[in-house]
Amino acid sequence: MNAPLPHIDIVRQADAEALLKDVVQRLKVGEVVPYLGPAVSEQSGAPVPMNPEALAAFFGTKVALPRRAKGNAWASAQHIESTRHRSTVTALMAEAFATPVAPTPLHQHLASLPLPMIVDSWYDGAMRAALAGRTGWGEVQGITRAGIGEDRWYRFYDADGTEADREKAASWTTLLYKPHGGITPAKNFLITDADYVEVLTDIDIQTPIPDTVKDRRTHRSFLFIGCRFNDQLLRTYGRQVIKRSGSEHYVLVEPDTLSRNELKFFITERLTPIAIPLARATEIILGG
């Protein structure tokens, strides 16, 4: 007999729209940090993998994968690194995301606001492209430590893609945080199981989280847009990025697709699920 699903009140219909409109007002004044998942960029229609399952399928078209790795992007990348070389993983990731993803209206809208921080959890460059038309921003990306010979967890880049330092980053009005890396500007990718083992070893003590991210999340809420948490790794990153931030967080959901583990995650991390389709939520955010 299947155990009952964890209970959590999902905000629906008119109440959901009213709540999101309130959150959007707080976002505009910098009290809420947007945390973007791949479904935001998927709205662009670009022919690149737009979720971990699609990325795993892409790897499977390039390399014969063992059964245990099929369908899992991190295990697929680990198999490729182990049997070929790290450079092969990087080259395949660069191929997968070679087509530039045009910023969606949501990307453009967020880029127009003087937000203290935007978290973007996928590998495409749409959010950076949206920010390119303004000043006073920069980016920090998680990096693999495979073969770099340095005790570093992340790198900073200014608006033109030049590597910067943490002192300069502190002066940026808006920080774009890409915890898993990205195709632009330097093809940094956290992707293999080994990459994540290193990070997860220290993430409870927050060493892999940049200090400027810790500073900018303090006392702020997060709004998760276009994210799924049906994978333990994604839940772990979500949990660690919002650690020691504000006490209220929100996640846009489609209730019929949620897994038991996602519901448990929302309960544990005190995320309020708002049942609004992404297209309608985008209209509300743009109209706010």
Side-chain angles (χ1 to χ4, degrees):
M1 182 175 178
N2 291 331
L5 290 172
H7 177 73
I8 185 170
D9 291 326
I10 296 176
V11 185
R12 301 171 186 265
Q13 299 177 342
D15 289 342
E17 296 210 356
L19 176 56
L20 181 58
K21 288 174 182 176
D22 178 67
V23 173
V24 168
Q25 294 307 308
R26 294 177 55 206
L27 182 148
K28 287 168 60 179
V29 297
E31 295 177 0
V32 174
V33 175
Y35 187 118
L36 309 182
V40 175
S41 291
E42 189 173 11
Q43 293 181 306
S44 71
V48 304
M50 286 300 183
N51 54 58
E53 294 78 16
L55 183 54
F58 169 81
F59 287 140
T61 67
K62 303 296 178 179
V63 176
L65 297 171
R67 181 177 300 176
R68 61 176 175 75
K70 289 180 179 179
N72 184 303
W74 340 117
S76 297
Q78 184 60 54
H79 173 78
I80 295 167
E81 182 177 71
S82 300
T83 58
R84 302 199 176 193
H85 196 269
R86 179 70 195 200
S87 60
T88 305
V89 176
T90 302
L92 288 177
M93 286 292 288
E95 181 181 345
F97 293 94
T99 301
V101 177
T104 67
L106 181 54
H107 288 119
Q108 298 283 16
H109 178 70
L110 295 175
S112 73
L113 303 174
L115 302 175
M117 183 162 66
I118 301 168
V119 182
D120 181 3
S121 65
W122 200 233
Y123 301 103
D124 66 273
M127 193 67 239
R128 166 171 271 273
L131 286 161
R134 55 166 279 197
T135 59
W137 70 278
E139 180 175 4
V140 59
Q141 294 188 349
I143 61 171
T144 179
R145 286 153 48 105
I148 67 171
E150 303 172 57
D151 187 23
R152 301 175 67 182
W153 298 98
Y154 42 81
R155 285 198 170 99
F156 297 96
Y157 299 94
D158 64 20
D160 68 4
T162 303
E163 191 168 347
D165 57 32
R166 67 186 67 228
E167 288 74 23
K168 185 172 184 180
S171 71
W172 292 330
T173 300
T174 297
L175 178 76
L176 173 59
Y177 178 35
K178 302 271 286 186
H180 303 275
I183 184 67
T184 57
K187 298 183 177 67
N188 294 313
F189 303 115
L190 275 174
I191 181 61
T192 68
D193 280 339
D195 289 343
Y196 287 113
V197 166
E198 284 220 334
V199 174
L200 297 179
T201 298
D202 278 19
I203 204 164
D204 276 343
I205 59 172
Q206 294 279 286
T207 309
I209 308 293
D211 287 342
T212 186
V213 171
K214 298 174 190 174
D215 293 342
R216 292 172 192 246
R217 73 186 176 188
T218 303
H219 305 307
R220 291 189 167 98
S221 300
F222 282 76
L223 172 62
F224 293 90
I225 308 171
C227 298
R228 291 297 306 270
F229 293 101
N230 53 345
D231 181 285
Q232 179 63 32
L233 178 66
L234 302 178
R235 292 192 292 274
T236 298
Y237 261 79
R239 178 181 303 114
Q240 295 297 337
V241 171
I242 68 175
K243 199 172 187 177
R244 304 192 186 103
S245 58
S247 58
E248 298 177 319
H249 307 294
Y250 311 90
V251 55
L252 299 177
V253 301
E254 296 190 14
D256 293 343
T257 69
L258 294 173
S259 68
R260 181 187 306 274
N261 284 331
E262 285 177 291
L263 293 170
K264 286 182 179 178
F265 175 70
F266 298 159
I267 293 169
T268 303
E269 301 306 318
R270 300 188 301 278
L271 270 63
T272 298
I274 305 175
I276 301 179
L278 183 55
R280 174 58 185 150
T282 298
E283 291 176 355
I284 293 172
I285 295 169
L286 268 57

